[in-house]
Amino acid sequence: MAKGVLIVDDAQFMRTMLSQLVEENGYEVLGEAENGQEAVEMYKEVDPDLVTMDITMPDMDGIEATKAILEVDPDAKIIMCSAMGQKPMVVDALEAGAEDFIVKPIQPEKVKDTFKSILG
């Protein structure tokens, strides 16, 4: 059975692009969330193997959502995706418990390599 991924991003076009990359690389999209609050609720429902998490979102940002998901499941695997590749944001994301960081615009090879290194 394919490993399942939850995609979290407030931009529909990013969710669509990530969904395509997830499926092209042999994984299954278990759900899509538009903000951190939705992501936490959906995580509990679909129990994904991996989460792609945008940092800047309404209601609850990606860093807060990462912390909340890790409270629910300390073994959760989360990759931050954001155009804000500034060092402090990357450090905050990793300190919050993210496994890795992908900078937008997303490069398909980077996504593939990152997924492979985390999911095998």
Side-chain angles (χ1 to χ4, degrees), residues 25-101:
N25 286 291
Y27 305 107
E28 182 184 352
V29 177
L30 298 179
E32 295 182 10
E34 291 183 32
N35 61 56
Q37 194 66 51
E38 251 182 54
V40 176
E41 295 308 312
M42 200 172 286
Y43 187 92
K44 295 174 193 172
E45 289 172 29
V46 301
D47 190 27
D49 297 291
L50 181 69
V51 179
T52 65
M53 180 80 68
D54 187 19
I55 287 185
T56 310
M57 295 181 291
D59 300 330
M60 180 191 282
D61 70 23
I63 291 172
E64 289 304 310
T66 295
K67 291 176 183 173
I69 287 171
L70 287 167
E71 280 179 25
V72 171
D73 178 5
D75 297 324
K77 305 273 187 258
I78 301 170
I79 299 172
M80 302 307 279
C81 302
S82 183
M84 294 191 195
Q86 300 111 330
K87 204 164 176 110
M89 282 281 201
V90 176
V91 171
D92 287 349
L94 296 174
E95 284 178 354
E99 298 275 327
D100 207 339
F101 195 98

